[in-house]
């Protein structure tokens, strides 16, 4: 198979409509598409390198945010101090 600037293996190197595709991929990552979305995703990622890269980058970012943005306990003294200052301001 001859490779050119348009294909890499079986994936296109240029996406025909990145904004539409990226919106679709984000909907799928958000769980808005269910099982049919997973099939669309599988087909899209197999055909398009930019979509493949965007999906994996977005997935990695979401994973980092999910792990870093977990609920942490606030010390009771700090919470009480903030409540008192808010009450004084009112």
């Amino acid at each position: 198979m001859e490779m050119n600037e348009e294909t890499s293996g079986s994936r296109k190197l240029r996406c025909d409509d990145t904004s539409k595709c990226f919106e679709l991929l984000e909907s799928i990552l958000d769980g808005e598409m269910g099982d049919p979305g997973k099939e669309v995703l599988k087909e899209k990622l197999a055909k398009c390198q930019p979509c493949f890269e965007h999906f994996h980058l977005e997935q990695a970012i979401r994973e980092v945010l999910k792990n870093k943005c977990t609920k942490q306990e606030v010390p009771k003294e700090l919470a009480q101090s903030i409540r008192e200052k808010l009450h004084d301001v009112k």
Side-chain angles (χ1 to χ4, degrees):
M1 177 183 207
E2 184 179 311
M3 289 182 47
N4 60 40
E5 68 177 45
E6 293 296 321
T7 62
S8 171
S10 61
R11 286 193 189 109
K12 298 184 297 179
L13 295 179
R14 292 190 181 140
C15 185
D16 299 328
D17 189 355
T18 54
S19 61
K20 183 178 177 183
C21 290
F22 290 1
E23 186 178 312
L24 171 67
L25 294 175
E26 289 173 14
S27 293
I28 292 168
L29 280 170
D30 290 340
E32 297 171 357
M33 304 288 284
D35 287 338
K38 290 177 185 175
E39 284 303 310
V40 169
L41 174 66
K42 186 177 176 181
E43 290 175 25
K44 189 72 177 151
L45 298 183
K47 294 178 183 176
C48 184
Q49 186 66 28
C51 291
F52 178 84
E53 291 172 4
H54 176 76
F55 174 78
H56 288 289
L57 176 62
E58 185 71 23
Q59 189 176 42
I61 290 169
R62 288 171 185 236
E63 190 63 31
V64 167
L65 289 174
K66 186 172 98 177
N67 291 332
K68 297 293 181 186
C69 296
T70 58
K71 184 177 179 180
Q72 295 191 13
E73 197 65 33
V74 175
K76 291 180 182 179
E77 301 81 24
L78 176 60
Q80 184 59 36
S81 173
I82 292 170
R83 283 188 196 99
E84 289 171 4
K85 288 181 181 182
L86 287 173
H87 182 20
D88 292 343
V89 170
K90 290 181 182 180

